[in-house]
Amino acid sequence: MDSIHKLNVVHRYEKRSLLIAINCIAGLSILFFGYDQGMMGGVNTAYAYYTLMGFGHTGPDGGVVVDDTLLQGGIVSVYYLGTLVGCLIGGSIGDRYGRIKTIFIGAAVGVVGAVLQCSAQNAAWMICARLINGWGTGILNSIIPVWATETAEHKSRGQFIAIEFTLNIFGVVIAYWLEYACSFYGDGTSSFIWRFPVAFQIPMLVALMASVFFFPESPRWLVKMGREDEARYILGRLRGNQGEEKEAAEIEFQDIVASCELERSNFRKQSYFHMLFGVGSGKMHTGRRVQLVIWLQIMQEWVGIAGVTIYAPTIFGIAGMSPAKRQWIAGLNNIFYMFSTLICVFTLDRIGRRWTCYWGSVGQGIAMALAGGFSYLGKQATLDGDTSKAASYGNAAVSMVFIFTFVFGATWLTVPWLYPAEIFPLEVRAKGNAWGVVGWSIGNGWLTLLCPIMFEKIGEKTLYIFAACNAITIPMVWALYPETNQRTLEEIDLLFASDSIWNWEAEKNFARLREEMDEYATTTGAKTDVEHGPSRKQSLVRSVNLHVESAKPE
């Protein structure tokens, strides 16, 4: 394939080895994302940082006393305003110029933001730097899951994304322990303690920029752009070029072509505004899909993980831990969290997205409620002077936080990032995934801004709010979110073809459309004649058009 550079890894690797290579480069971006998320937890407690930014002072126990919670939370949360803007930019660039170029641009913007952050001299400077860093992260987050999802097989899509999010939490772990190690530098007042960890993200981004152009473009985006020869070649290398594998790759290719043709014939121009309100999408119902991914990401943060990731030392302080003990206990919790993500690697494609969320919400809700209760009892025992009971209750609260993060890592960490990359039509997939990042940015920014205030005003009762949010997610997922597990990206358009918002109606409609499609394929012989792509394409387009033609925009 002369149009693909000879140094591209697609010429050297194939099938699983090629998917692993793609997963490694995608994982590097996700590693940076995790590092960036976890970084501010340690930075916020560095003496040189909180005195320079002017939001706190050192307390009698040696820990930070925050004088301006709004400024502290604002510096953290403005990053998420940046990701919100960045993801919308990234979605547009990704759908127009491709996944690979968008990754490079996102990494380049991230480098600029990181350089400005590690050289910040005041709060205003830091806020601007965090905003730019957020732009880069938002661009990467809008495109990386799409690229990984579009290249993976539908039977193992969840597994590959789950592996990437193991690296995400590995990034959190690196950030935490690097900052913990830096905290012992000198007498504890050097700016190196916070500037070096901030600068440490730069090598990751530079490595991503240097390597991404040696990786293949998404075959689905190439089909969308009319570059079908390149797409067929890359898909063949991804799936296999011999025997049944070659036939399966050709069937998948023809389904992509068919889906792309169908979407073009039934879509008006789909801007972000059109997508949000479903204007011009007919039976594709992009507006419904946008709302689903936004709220799934918002609820991911409000089940409690944003509070635990950034403010774990505060939670452990409420439970009666000393500042030194809080730091290493929080770091140990992050390691526990990282290993829990491996569970999702083996379960997500077996039990599905919905059941993964169900058991996660139950486990997380119980853990948060008990963590709040034990924290309260620990505070009361401390006030009563019973140090033995206070320590016992404090340890119990810490155990519940550990259980919460373990369950979250095995469930809710991955699903809200995978779902947006799966459910949108090819024509607007990058923009659709960007809407998911918008939801994540809103949920995270909102929560990190409020967390310092909530912990200051209501203490451990904040954990009860998180527990209640977990309970809310169970009926929400059951009623509104169709299962995408073991379905191809092209089949998902059928799944959302129903006019009803309810999941059970979507499943009934999907089953009926699949039956119509199979009957037509059997009648025409298209299902068995994989060598003739057009007949396969015709059967798929005709069966779906039976349902969408009535709603086709004028």
Side-chain angles (χ1 to χ4, degrees), residues 155 157-163 342-357 359 410-411 414-415 418-419 422 483 485-486:
K155 293 180 181 178
R157 218 166 39 223
Q159 182 184 58
F160 274 89
I161 299 297
I163 290 170
L342 296 174
I343 294 174
C344 201
V345 172
F346 299 102
T347 61
L348 188 55
D349 287 322
R350 294 189 178 187
I351 66 175
R353 295 24 166 174
R354 284 159 57 83
W355 277 101
T356 298
C357 288
W359 83 264
T411 57
T414 302
V415 174
L418 173 60
Y419 205 78
E422 291 183 310
E483 182 59 74
N485 186 38
Q486 302 301 312

Side-chain angles (χ1 to χ4, degrees), residues 37-53:
Q37 273 190 294
M39 179 185 68
M40 288 306 292
V43 169
N44 276 334
T45 61
Y47 171 83
Y49 176 77
Y50 62 73
T51 53
L52 179 66
M53 297 302 150

Side-chain angles (χ1 to χ4, degrees), residues 210-279:
S211 58
V212 71
F213 280 115
F214 296 102
F215 284 78
E217 183 56 84
S218 160
R220 286 175 164 86
W221 181 80
L222 290 170
V223 168
K224 174 186 168 185
M225 302 307 291
R227 295 158 61 179
E228 295 188 4
D229 289 342
E230 292 176 63
R232 182 183 268 112
Y233 175 77
I234 293 172
L235 196 62
R237 298 291 291 175
L238 286 165
R239 306 293 184 255
N241 280 311
Q242 303 294 326
E244 291 183 2
E245 291 175 340
K246 183 176 181 179
E247 293 181 352
E250 180 63 23
I251 289 173
E252 183 176 354
F253 175 76
Q254 294 300 335
D255 277 351
I256 295 169
V257 172
S259 178
C260 192
E261 180 180 298
L262 174 66
E263 290 167 12
R264 283 202 192 107
S265 65
N266 286 279
F267 268 178
R268 293 177 183 171
K269 182 181 178 182
Q270 286 287 292
S271 67
Y272 284 113
F273 176 84
H274 287 94
M275 290 180 68
L276 180 61
F277 296 101
V279 177

Side-chain angles (χ1 to χ4, degrees), residues 525-552:
K527 196 170 185 178
T528 57
D529 187 9
V530 297
E531 295 298 325
H532 295 83
S535 65
R536 170 84 182 176
K537 178 171 131 181
Q538 182 186 18
S539 68
L540 180 62
V541 172
R542 181 185 182 280
S543 60
V544 179
N545 262 316
L546 291 173
H547 194 71
V548 303
E549 188 64 31
S550 61
K552 186 175 179 180

